[in-house]
Amino acid sequence: MIGALLLGLVCGVLARMLVPGDAFRHMSGPKSWLVSIGLGLLGALLGYVIFTLGLGIGDDDIFDWGGLLSALIGTIIVVPIATWILRRRSHTAT
């Protein structure tokens, strides 16, 4: 459980640094950490689905450090999608 949270945090922070102009860049403190963990865990799940289930690459553990690269790639896919959804919701709300 702790390893999954750390993996989510690391992947979330790295993906937010690598993806320019994300909707979460103005956040700071614990709120930013929670968003990074959430994005990282979603990305780890997406990376597991793509690489392990889809392509047959990797091991059977979803949230472990052996899948760091696939989790990071999944998170890099999740961050722009989440940004797009948040920006779309904010434009339709006004």
Side-chain angles (χ1 to χ4, degrees):
M1 171 93 176
I2 302 256
L5 294 176
L6 289 174
L7 176 70
L9 179 65
V10 168
C11 288
V13 167
L14 288 174
R16 287 180 57 196
M17 286 179 4
L18 294 173
V19 175
D22 68 306
F24 313 102
R25 68 180 177 273
H26 299 296
M27 291 182 179
S28 63
K31 191 177 198 181
S32 176
W33 297 355
L34 290 174
V35 167
S36 293
I37 290 171
L39 291 170
L41 290 175
L42 282 174
L45 183 62
L46 179 64
Y48 175 78
V49 168
I50 291 172
F51 290 101
T52 302
L53 298 180
L55 300 174
I57 303 170
D59 56 6
D60 292 335
D61 294 330
I62 296 176
F63 300 113
D64 68 338
W65 289 99
L68 179 67
L69 185 59
S70 65
L72 181 59
I73 292 170
T75 309
I76 289 173
I77 294 170
V78 166
V79 169
I81 293 170
T83 298
W84 179 78
I85 290 170
L86 284 177
R87 289 190 178 150
R88 185 162 170 88
R89 284 184 60 193
S90 69
H91 288 306
T92 58
T94 56

